[in-house]
């Protein structure tokens, strides 16, 4: 009982519910380990009692928690915890812009606090005082401007005739310009563009997964279009010749992917680009460029310096800071300061790369908006970072040691999942006013019309797995969801951006309702939308939620053509991922598809009947358009019949995750130029033409857009 009370006082769960009506106790060892990662000793009964007494004394003696949330528009003096302050307590809010708001508790005073992160100071009538961070945020984030549709794409997979072996930011800008102008698309949603963990010195590329990056704070320069860097045009002599040789090597690398069927080799691409960027680094910046770079350095401050320092040190000591000399494992140590000074050229080089990448991201978003996109780029926020990477090194104080994030056992994975990502400490986040989280969001939203938050349920709780333990031996640790959502809403408000939550899978009761209350859109995938609490049949279009991005698939799921043909079942069988006999899995998958296609046929969305793959894919998207969903996402590979998922969960080296170019129905890779000219793609996109007619039952509905909205 004492351990349960202590765990509850620190947000550590002692049980969880894998399904409605079923409660499972968490591993006691996991609870004790999670508390230890929060610097709470529960190693013995005596230590547990002492820790509980200390925590209860701390809570009873504190006037304020470390971070307080108010929602702008609400009466601030009446909001918790102000309403709990004793009458006569003096309250002062020191605003981030330098102003002050003050009142006295219990007097009926009216006060307004503008959006921002402010300093809150209170002085009680008994002489006790306290201070906290005050996050004031709009209650709801921005809503989509009417209804719109757009593409979902993994940028690396989108090669053009100018790509250096993988898709880049120039390709992204081209896709946005073309789809905005020609296809009335309102957005392009991309994979995380976070900075990756590099390969070891002299070795090949690092982890290709965009969801296990070195840093979520800064983008990866591997996405740069090298020729679009202004200094490229100024190369002369031997440097110019070498740059052209590198371009030739990039052309051969591109051809190996597009014509010879090789996988995308991020490491090989980066080796070429890095050498080319080294040449550009030797070109002096002009006065205007130098001033812009200096402004970027000043704006990004210590965060960028730490980021660049990690990459400079990784070139010398390898990409896992745990293996560095002991003194360099501390970013604030005198030895690290000396190393930063000794490696200043390399630190500046990596800072310059962050600036160049930021500039091309700005160009891509500007291009999207100039093409008429109501939203533009939708960036993706991964759940966490690599334990050996730049963020885990620079922000050690905010990460829980010897812990990894994952998922508990469920109906789909009896062993649970370990994602190998260190979790943020909720207590340290609160003490800092969520400073690293705010900086992360602000960086991602610099050049975005919207932000997708992967595993958005992680704003509420995360499954912590102690080092060396199986995923089954973990427990949930809760975060202050109100504060996490307030910071998210505040930064989205500052950026005038939407927020989309990836809320697929097992979701804690009340989470979707809370997200909806704050205007965060959900994610709805057609094949999962069934009346689970009733008949179990496909959910009628008019019963879908409006506040979502509706789509047929994602990067982790089979493309629509594979699902329709059942090829995804065979793939999982060949890789040994099925838990039941192949025939049983095939029959179940076929029945699922047949039930959906039969519904589409009854609704008049499949006029040619079953049997034509292209017609069936179009019918699936007609159904998505018949829902009230504010945004409809089109998996770009679906437009040309690609059968291969970009990622197959449960595999590591058994399947080429994150290394596949977009291909057609035969598996032949296609370029961006071929996509734009594809008859199959253009036939598919007729579904989205303004004024197109969708038959539903015996009625016909013409899709029109609200005034000022982007037409669907």
């Amino acid at each position: 009982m004492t351990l349960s009370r202590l765990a509850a006082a620190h947000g550590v769960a002692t049980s969880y519910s894998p399904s409605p009506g079923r409660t499972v106790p968490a591993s006691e060892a996991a609870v004790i380990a999670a508390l230890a990662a929060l610097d709470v000793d529960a190693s013995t009964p005596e230590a547990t009692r002492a820790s509980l007494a200390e925590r209860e004394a701390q809570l009873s003696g504190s006037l304020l928690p470390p971070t307080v949330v108010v929602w702008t528009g609400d009466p601030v003096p009446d909001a918790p915890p102000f309403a709990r302050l004793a009458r006569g307590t003096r309250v002062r809010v020191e605003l981030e812009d330098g102003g002050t708001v003050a009142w006295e508790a219990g007097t009926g005073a009216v006060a307004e606090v503008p959006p921002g992160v402010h300093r809150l100071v209170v002085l009680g009538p008994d002489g006790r005082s306290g201070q906290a961070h005050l996050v004031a945020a709009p209650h709801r984030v921005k809503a989509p401007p009417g209804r719109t549709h757009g593409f979902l794409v993994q940028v690396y997979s989108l090669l053009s005739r100018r790509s250096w072996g993988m898709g880049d930011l120039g390709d992204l800008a081209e896709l946005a310009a073309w789809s905005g102008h020609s296809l009335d698309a309102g957005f392009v949603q991309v994979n995380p563009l976070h900075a990756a963990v590099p390969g070891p010195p002299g070795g090949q590329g690092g982890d290709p997964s965009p969801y296990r990056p070195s840093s979520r704070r800064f983008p990866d320069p591997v996405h740069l279009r090298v020729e679009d860097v202004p200094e490229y045009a100024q190369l002369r002599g031997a440097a110019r010749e070498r740059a052209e040789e590198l371009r030739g090597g990039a052309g051969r690398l591109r051809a190996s992917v597009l014509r010879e069927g090789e996988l995308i080799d991020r490491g090989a691409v980066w080796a070429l680009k890095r050498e080319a960027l080294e040449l550009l680094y030797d070109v002096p910046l002009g006065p205007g460029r130098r001033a812009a770079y200096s402004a970027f350095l000043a704006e990004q401050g210590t965060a960028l310096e730490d980021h660049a320092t990690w990459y400079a040190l990784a070139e010398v000591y390898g990409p896992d800071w745990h293996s560095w000399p002991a003194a360099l494992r501390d970013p604030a140590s005198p030895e690290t300061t000396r190393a930063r000074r000794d490696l200043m050229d390399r630190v500046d080089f990596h800072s310059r790369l962050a600036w160049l990448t930021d500039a091309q991201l700005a160009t891509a978003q500007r291009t999207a908006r100039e093409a008429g996109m109501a939203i533009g780029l939708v960036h993706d926020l991964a759940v966490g970072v690599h334990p050996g990477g730049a963020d885990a090194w620079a922000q050690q104080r905010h990460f829980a040691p010897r812990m990894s994030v994952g998922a508990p056992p469920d109906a789909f994975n009896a062993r649970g999942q370990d994602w190998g990502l260190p979790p943020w400490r909720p207590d340290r986040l609160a003490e800092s006013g969520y400073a690293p989280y705010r900086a992360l969001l602000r960086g991602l939203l610099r050049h975005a019309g919207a932000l997708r938050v992967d595993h958005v349920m992680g704003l509420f709780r995360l499954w912590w797995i102690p080092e060396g333990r199986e995923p089954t031996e973990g427990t949930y640790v809760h975060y202050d969801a109100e504060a996490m959502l307030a910071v998210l809403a505040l930064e989205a408000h500052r950026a005038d951006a939407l927020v989309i939550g990836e809320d697929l899978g097992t979701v804690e009761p009340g989470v979707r309702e809370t997200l909806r209350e704050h205007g965060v859109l959900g994610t709805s995938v057609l094949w999962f939308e069934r009346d689970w609490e009733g008949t179990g049949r496909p959910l009628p279009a008019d019963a879908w939620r409006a506040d979502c991005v509706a789509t047929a698939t994602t990067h982790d799921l089979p493309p629509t053509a594979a699902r329709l043909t059942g090829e995804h079942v065979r793939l999982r069988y060949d890789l040994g991922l099925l838990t039941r006999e192949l025939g049983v899995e095939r029959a179940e998958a076929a029945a699922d598809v047949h039930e959906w296609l039969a519904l589409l046929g009854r609704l008049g969305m499949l006029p040619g009947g079953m049997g034509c793959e292209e017609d069936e894919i179009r019918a699936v998207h007609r159904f998505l358009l018949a829902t009230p969903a504010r945004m409809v996402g089109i998996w770009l590979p679906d437009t040309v019949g690609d059968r291969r998922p970009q990622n197959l969960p449960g595999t590591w080296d058994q399947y080429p995750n994150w290394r596949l170019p977009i291909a057609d129905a035969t598996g032949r890779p296609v370029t961006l130029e071929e996509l734009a000219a594809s008859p199959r793609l253009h036939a598919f996109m007729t579904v989205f033409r303004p004024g197109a007619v969708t038959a539903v039952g015996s009625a016909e509905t013409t899709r029109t857009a609200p005034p000022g909205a982007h037409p669907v």
Side-chain angles (χ1 to χ4, degrees):
M1 178 61 72
T2 303
L3 179 61
S4 297
R5 289 171 58 196
L6 178 63
H10 289 278
V12 178
T14 54
S15 64
Y16 67 98
S17 298
S19 59
R22 180 171 172 242
T23 300
V24 177
S27 159
E28 183 173 302
V31 173
I32 293 171
L35 288 168
L38 297 170
D39 296 328
V40 179
D41 187 0
S43 58
T44 65
E46 295 76 17
T48 302
R49 285 193 293 272
S51 295
L52 179 60
E54 180 183 352
R55 180 61 171 169
E56 290 177 339
Q58 179 189 42
L59 293 174
S60 63
S62 176
L63 291 178
L64 295 169
T67 294
V68 174
V69 171
V70 296
W71 301 100
T72 55
D74 291 348
V76 174
D78 296 334
F82 302 124
R84 294 194 293 270
L85 295 174
R87 182 179 179 85
T89 299
R90 286 184 288 172
V91 183
R92 185 175 77 255
V93 178
E94 299 171 359
L95 303 177
E96 63 180 16
D97 65 2
T100 301
V101 176
W103 69 90
E104 191 171 297
T107 62
V110 176
E112 291 186 9
V113 177
V117 179
H118 316 295
R119 182 169 177 263
L120 172 63
V121 181
V122 299
L123 178 62
D126 58 359
R128 290 193 304 158
S129 64
Q131 54 183 282
H133 304 276
L134 176 63
V135 179
H139 198 272
R140 292 181 60 84
V141 301
K142 177 182 176 181
R147 295 194 70 200
T148 188
H149 67 272
F151 288 125
L152 318 179
V153 63
Q154 305 282 290
V155 173
Y156 62 83
S157 72
L158 181 69
L159 283 74
S160 73
R161 293 171 186 158
R162 295 182 61 190
S163 303
W164 284 37
M166 62 180 277
D168 59 36
L169 294 176
D171 298 323
L172 176 59
E174 283 288 330
L175 173 66
W178 163 64
S179 60
H181 283 300
S182 301
L183 303 175
D184 290 321
F187 65 92
V188 175
Q189 179 178 305
V190 300
N191 57 287
L193 302 181
H194 308 320
V197 175
Q204 297 301 310
D207 190 340
S209 172
Y211 290 94
R212 201 165 181 249
S214 171
S215 172
R216 298 185 294 174
R217 177 64 183 81
F218 294 98
D220 197 316
V222 76
H223 299 112
L224 282 168
R225 170 69 62 82
V226 174
E227 302 95 316
D228 288 353
V229 176
E231 285 69 41
Y232 190 90
Q234 300 175 40
L235 290 173
R236 298 289 184 271
R240 183 73 185 194
E241 291 177 6
R242 181 55 184 157
E244 292 304 317
E245 290 174 0
L246 293 170
R247 283 187 68 187
R252 290 188 291 275
L253 195 59
R254 178 176 63 246
S256 73
V257 174
L258 294 174
R259 295 203 294 270
E260 298 168 24
E262 296 291 330
L263 297 174
I264 291 170
D265 186 340
R266 184 186 175 282
V269 172
W270 178 233
L272 292 171
K273 288 191 175 184
R274 182 180 58 212
E275 186 176 348
L277 291 164
E278 298 275 8
L279 296 172
L280 299 186
Y281 183 67
D282 292 334
V283 177
L285 296 175
R289 295 274 289 164
R290 170 60 61 183
Y293 178 44
S294 297
F296 181 79
L297 292 175
E299 181 182 14
Q300 301 305 316
T302 302
L304 177 57
E305 186 176 43
D306 285 343
H307 174 83
T309 298
W310 183 92
Y311 277 87
L313 289 169
E315 292 177 341
V316 180
Y317 299 106
D320 185 349
W321 61 272
H322 297 92
S323 66
W324 295 356
L328 297 180
R329 297 173 200 167
D330 178 1
S333 72
E335 291 81 1
T336 299
T337 300
R338 284 196 294 272
R340 180 183 288 122
R341 184 172 57 247
D342 294 342
L343 296 170
M344 185 53 67
D345 283 349
R346 301 310 299 164
V347 173
D348 186 57
F349 173 70
H350 290 288
S351 298
R352 180 89 63 92
L353 297 187
W355 172 57
L356 295 175
T357 312
D358 180 82
Q360 290 196 5
L361 281 169
T363 298
Q365 172 64 356
R366 183 171 61 252
T367 300
R369 297 304 295 269
E370 289 174 351
M373 287 191 168
I375 298 170
L377 302 185
V378 180
H379 286 292
D380 198 352
L381 172 60
V383 176
V385 295
H386 195 286
D391 283 2
W393 175 73
Q395 302 171 15
Q396 289 173 54
R397 187 175 183 278
H398 289 91
F399 285 99
R402 298 175 297 281
M403 285 286 161
S404 178
V405 172
D410 57 26
F412 300 99
N413 194 326
R415 297 181 58 188
Q417 302 174 57
D418 185 342
W419 302 332
L421 309 170
W424 265 336
R425 287 181 54 160
D427 57 334
R428 294 279 172 82
L429 284 177
E431 289 168 9
S432 70
Y434 295 82
Y437 179 47
R438 286 188 278 126
L440 167 61
L441 293 173
R442 191 168 300 185
L444 285 170
L445 288 164
R446 280 171 64 85
H447 310 300
L451 179 66
R452 174 190 179 270
V453 181
D454 191 42
H455 191 68
V456 72
M457 298 82 78
L459 301 182
F460 295 74
R461 64 179 186 177
L462 285 172
W463 184 256
W464 286 22
I465 305 166
E467 184 178 60
R469 300 279 187 168
E470 293 296 319
T472 53
E473 300 176 77
T475 189
Y476 277 113
V477 175
H478 291 264
Y479 293 75
D480 185 340
E482 183 180 44
M484 297 289 278
L485 284 169
V487 171
L488 180 60
L490 173 63
E491 295 302 331
H493 168 74
R494 295 188 202 266
D496 192 32
L498 317 176
V499 178
I500 301 160
E502 185 275 294
D503 57 350
L504 302 173
T506 303
V507 182
E508 188 181 11
V511 167
R512 287 196 175 105
E513 292 77 8
T514 300
L515 293 172
R516 183 184 306 120
E517 178 186 350
H518 292 290
V520 177
L521 302 177
T523 302
S524 293
V525 177
L526 178 131
W527 311 100
F528 302 154
E529 292 296 314
R530 288 177 172 270
D531 181 12
W532 296 113
E533 297 180 0
T535 64
R537 293 178 178 174
L539 196 65
D542 60 4
W544 282 42
R545 53 182 173 172
D547 50 345
C548 75
V549 178
T551 184
T553 190
T554 73
H555 58 268
D556 282 335
L557 297 172
T560 306
R563 190 176 290 274
L564 291 171
T565 59
E567 291 179 34
H568 65 302
V569 178
R570 183 72 204 193
L571 174 61
R572 291 178 59 81
Y573 172 77
D574 290 342
L575 294 173
L577 298 176
L578 296 185
T579 57
R580 299 180 297 174
E581 292 183 1
L582 175 61
V584 173
E585 293 277 358
R586 273 182 164 168
E588 185 175 291
D592 179 60
V593 168
H594 185 272
E595 188 173 19
W596 274 103
L597 293 179
L599 172 63
L600 299 178
R602 291 194 299 273
L603 295 175
M605 296 179 179
L606 193 55
M610 301 182 198
C612 176
E613 176 188 300
E614 293 186 45
D615 286 347
E616 291 172 352
I617 294 176
R618 285 194 289 268
V620 163
H621 288 81
R622 288 189 184 101
F623 184 90
L624 295 177
L625 287 170
T627 73
R630 302 293 295 275
M631 297 171 66
V632 174
I634 306 161
W635 180 238
L636 185 57
D638 270 355
T639 65
V640 287
D642 197 346
R643 263 102 167 122
R644 306 165 305 173
Q646 285 293 316
N647 177 52
L648 194 60
T651 63
W652 175 244
D653 57 0
Q654 306 97 318
Y655 184 80
N657 296 316
W658 320 114
R659 290 177 287 169
L660 293 170
I662 295 175
D664 64 16
T666 69
R668 182 185 68 85
V670 294
T671 64
L672 172 58
E673 293 83 0
E674 289 171 324
L675 277 167
S678 167
R680 177 166 178 162
L681 180 145
H682 285 280
F684 171 89
M685 291 304 298
T686 59
V687 173
F688 294 85
R689 285 179 184 165
V693 175
T694 298
V696 182
S698 60
E700 290 189 342
T701 304
T702 301
R703 293 190 308 280
T704 57
H710 218 73
V712 181

